[in-house]
Amino acid sequence: MKICRTIAGLKQQLGELRQEGKTIGFVPTMGFLHEGHASLMRQAKEQNEAAVLSIFVNPTQFGPNEDFDRYPRDEERDLELAEQNGMDLVFLPSVEEMYPRKPLTSVLVSGVTTRLCGASRPGHFDGVGLIVSKLFHIVQPDRAYFGMKDAQQVAVITQLVEDLNFNVDVVPCPTVREPDGLALSSRNVYLSAQQRSQAVVLSQSLQLAKEWIPQPGMTAGELVERVKNHIRGASGAAIDYVELLRFPSLEELSADAAINELPYTVILALAVKFGNTRLIDNSLYEPIGGVDHV
Ligand code: PAF
């Protein structure tokens, strides 16, 4: 496994892989890797002849009062995990390498960024659009792998790739969970023991919603209210948002829409704070013939 800290170094290594005719799978991350990232790495390795991991805590996707400075970092452990999961190249640039000067270009994806984290974290997806565009230009992967825990990010990047004709297949991968249901996230490390046990309310709510949705006449408004009430009942949990939207367009549904009659996939997306830690989770529900938990 080769480690590249510069764009020039990475391009040289990638050039060699391409000369050998290898397809390239790419896993962009912000590091502090966990089993969710490992599943992306394994899929990238399985579906491509070479796999590239990037680790870069991207400052442009954090708001001024967010956790950029304290975002967890552990390069040594990340490199071990990358090696164990068969990565051929790891790109580990510095902030100066990626942003030698303040970028004057914005990558704004509209529509899909209006709600959910786009509303709660203004500017977040502009930062994601910019860094992912830069990484795609540098790496030029055949396929890129993203976890569905960040379903809105998947929708944004899919739109970006379509709109700007990036020559890459975006591969959404299932959320990986702890045995009690908590979705894996690098930010789980911020939780105290008490908050960690309270945080199970997110996945519990998604499970309950899965049971409630098939009930005759269940409307979007009723479902959202039930989920909110369930979360409010958990001590320490402060709701940022609970929304049921069309997926992947992330368009609003009317409150009286009967969920069972909708001919399209919907997403139930949650963001809940425990102290200063904000966790997100979601589930997709396919139309007719039951409910699909992703
Ligand atoms: O999902 C993440 O870890 C980040 O948003 C990404 C896609 C690596 C861009 O910085």
Side-chain angles (χ1 to χ4, degrees):
M1 181 178 85
K2 299 221 166 74
I3 299 166
C4 307
R5 293 185 190 270
T6 64
I7 296 170
L10 178 71
K11 281 187 172 168
Q12 195 191 326
Q13 295 296 329
L14 284 164
E16 287 175 20
L17 292 174
R18 276 198 205 92
Q19 271 198 338
E20 294 164 25
K22 292 188 168 163
T23 55
I24 291 168
F26 179 40
V27 182
T29 78
M30 299 207 298
F32 210 69
L33 304 177
H34 50 64
E35 189 46 38
H37 297 113
S39 74
L40 305 181
M41 290 192 265
R42 284 195 293 271
Q43 199 166 331
K45 190 66 188 178
E46 268 165 37
Q47 296 180 340
N48 302 276
E49 283 141 349
V52 180
L53 173 81
S54 69
I55 299 176
F56 178 62
V57 185
N58 170 41
T60 65
Q61 69 189 76
F62 289 80
N65 299 316
E66 292 186 353
D67 56 344
F68 173 69
D69 288 328
R70 67 178 191 121
Y71 194 83
R73 294 160 167 91
D74 189 343
E75 190 179 302
E76 205 179 314
R77 204 179 134 267
D78 285 352
L79 289 174
E80 268 169 36
L81 268 170
E83 176 109 61
Q84 282 165 19
N85 286 286
M87 294 298 96
D88 297 278
L89 298 178
V90 179
F91 182 41
L92 259 171
S94 64
V95 172
E96 294 69 36
E97 180 70 8
M98 290 310 285
Y99 299 109
R101 64 198 80 79
K102 191 177 179 319
L104 301 178
T105 302
S106 310
V107 182
L108 312 182
V109 179
S110 61
V112 280
T113 55
T114 330
R115 310 191 67 80
L116 309 180
C117 294
S120 300
R121 304 182 64 190
H124 168 67
F125 286 116
D126 305 346
V128 170
L130 182 62
I131 193 65
V132 170
S133 301
K134 284 166 75 79
L135 289 168
F136 281 177
H137 280 303
I138 295 165
V139 178
Q140 300 191 9
D142 295 278
R143 299 183 188 85
Y145 297 81
F146 296 91
M148 274 301 284
K149 185 180 76 72
D150 299 304
Q152 188 173 22
Q153 174 168 276
V154 170
V156 170
I157 293 169
T158 304
Q159 186 71 42
L160 172 72
V161 161
E162 260 180 55
D163 288 348
L164 298 185
N165 300 92
F166 278 100
N167 203 8
V168 56
D169 284 341
V170 174
V171 185
C173 304
T175 301
V176 178
R177 297 177 182 279
E178 298 280 8
D180 69 357
L182 180 71
L184 294 193
S185 159
S186 304
R187 288 187 169 100
N188 290 352
V189 74
Y190 297 149
L191 299 169
S192 68
Q194 195 187 26
Q195 291 168 338
R196 168 65 188 80
S197 58
Q198 292 162 340
V200 77
V201 73
L202 275 90
S203 57
Q204 235 175 37
S205 307
L206 297 172
Q207 278 300 333
L208 281 170
K210 194 175 174 179
E211 288 163 29
W212 290 331
I213 286 178
Q215 292 180 2
M218 178 58 65
T219 62
E222 163 86 19
L223 184 83
V224 167
E225 263 328 292
R226 284 196 191 188
V227 171
K228 282 185 175 170
N229 285 335
H230 181 74
I231 297 173
R232 284 189 197 116
S235 62
I239 294 175
D240 176 0
Y241 61 68
V242 172
E243 292 193 61
L244 187 73
L245 303 172
R246 190 169 172 166
F247 190 83
S249 65
L250 300 181
E251 288 163 291
E252 241 180 307
L253 301 175
S254 85
D256 58 8
I259 306 176
N260 286 317
E261 288 162 26
L262 296 175
Y264 41 74
T265 304
V266 293
I267 183 170
L268 177 62
L270 319 175
V272 178
K273 279 187 92 174
F274 299 87
N276 290 328
T277 306
R278 183 176 166 282
L279 300 181
I280 58 172
D281 202 348
N282 68 78
S283 239
L284 294 189
Y285 303 95
E286 305 294 342
I288 328 172
V291 170
D292 200 14
H293 193 194
V294 176

